[in-house]
Amino acid sequence: MAAGLTIALTKGRVLAEELRLLAAIGIEPEEDPASSRKLVFSTNQDDVSIMVLRGMDVATYVSHGIADIGMSGKDVLLEFEGSSLYEPLDLKIGRCQLMVAGLAEEPALPARMRIATKFTHTAKRFYAAQGRQVDIIKLYGAMELAPVTGLAHRIVDLVETGNTLKANGLVAMELIEEISTRLIVNESAYKTKSARIKSIIGALEGVL
Ligand code: PRP
C-alpha cells in the first residue's frame, strides 16, 4: 500500500456520509463497504484504496502511516494519545456535542462525583480545568444507564438528537465540545505525497 494513497474511514453511522464526500471528489470504492465484510477496498482510482475501521483505530492507522489520510470524529481525536497527525479540515459531517449529562431529577451530589464515560481523557481534562475533583469510571457503551443505576452521578457522552438522554430520564447539563468529523493526515505522508494529498484537501474544500 506504500506507493498509492490509503484513506481510512470510520465505520458506523457516519460511513455513508464519508463515502458521499469521497464520491463528490471522484473517489468511489469498487464495492459498497457498508454491505461487505472486507476491510480494504480498491477504488475507481488506481492509486487510491480505502480502509474501513473503528473510530479510534483510524487515528492509529494514520498516525503510524499505514493510512495516509483518515476521516475521524473529533471525539476520538480528543482522546487519541498518539502523534504525527495534521487535522487540516472540518468535514462538517457527523455533527453532535460532547456533553455532561445527569438525571433530570438529581439527588444531592457528593463533593467528589463519579463520572461514567468512554471519553476518559477528555472528561479528566474538562474537570481538571475547572478544578473539580471527580472519579472517572470507564464504560464502553450504554453510558446513560450509569446515573439511572447509581454506578455514576453523571456521564460524559455524545448527544445528537437528545433522544437517548430523554428516553432514560437524563438531561444535558454542560457542553464540553462541539464534535464533527475531521480530515486527518499523516505528517510524513503530507510531505512525501504532498501534491496528491493537497489536491484531495483542495477538492474536499471545494465540495464542503
Ligand atoms: C451515541 C451516544 C448516545 C447516542 C446519542 O451512541 O453514545 O448513546 O448515540 O444520540 P442521540 O442524542 O441522537 O440519542 P451510539 O448509538 O453511537 O452507540 P455507542 O454507545 O456504541 O457509541
Side-chain angles (χ1 to χ4, degrees):
M1 259 166 244
L5 197 82
T6 301
I7 303 175
L9 303 182
T10 298
K11 71 160 136 188
R13 298 186 192 213
V14 85
L15 179 61
E17 286 181 277
E18 294 175 338
L19 289 168
R20 257 200 301 280
L21 273 181
L22 285 183
I25 64 164
I27 299 173
E28 298 190 53
E30 307 233 270
E31 64 183 286
D32 179 11
S35 59
S36 170
R37 297 296 297 167
K38 280 170 66 173
L39 300 169
V40 185
F41 300 87
S42 51
T43 70
N44 59 335
Q45 301 204 10
D46 283 346
D47 67 334
V48 180
S49 58
I50 290 174
M51 290 176 161
V52 179
L53 304 169
R54 297 284 293 244
M56 187 58 85
D57 295 339
V58 170
T60 302
Y61 271 79
V62 175
S63 150
H64 285 269
I66 310 300
D68 303 295
I69 292 179
M71 292 187 181
S72 174
K74 185 67 181 174
D75 53 333
V76 300
L77 295 174
L78 289 168
E79 285 292 298
F80 185 63
E81 291 184 295
S83 55
S84 315
L85 290 181
Y86 285 134
E87 192 190 305
L89 217 51
D90 182 348
L91 297 171
K92 305 198 163 127
I93 55 175
R95 282 182 195 262
C96 55
Q97 295 179 314
L98 188 64
M99 310 253 347
V100 177
L103 290 171
E105 289 172 40
E106 205 167 45
L109 295 174
R112 190 176 174 124
M113 290 188 291
R114 294 189 303 279
I115 308 295
T117 187
K118 70 177 165 197
F119 304 101
T120 54
H121 296 119
T122 311
K124 264 182 208 148
R125 279 199 302 273
F126 175 74
Y127 284 105
Q130 298 185 350
R132 289 152 77 185
Q133 296 228 315
V134 297
D135 293 314
I136 305 285
I137 299 178
K138 171 111 187 186
L139 288 178
Y140 293 87
M143 252 71 73
E144 293 81 4
L145 194 56
V148 176
T149 56
L151 175 67
H153 300 98
R154 290 185 180 171
I155 61 172
V156 167
D157 197 13
L158 297 174
V159 180
E160 191 182 348
T161 60
N163 290 341
T164 311
L165 290 182
K166 203 171 168 197
N168 291 287
L170 305 183
V171 290
M173 292 171 166
E174 293 172 276
L175 173 68
I176 298 182
E177 200 79 46
E178 295 284 349
I179 303 297
S180 58
T181 300
R182 307 298 165 92
L183 189 75
I184 55 172
V185 179
N186 175 272
E187 277 179 4
S188 60
Y190 192 74
K191 293 183 191 113
T192 57
K193 303 177 185 179
S194 167
R196 190 75 178 93
I197 290 176
K198 281 182 185 159
S199 84
I200 287 183
I201 295 173
L204 283 170
E205 273 172 332
V207 300
L208 284 174

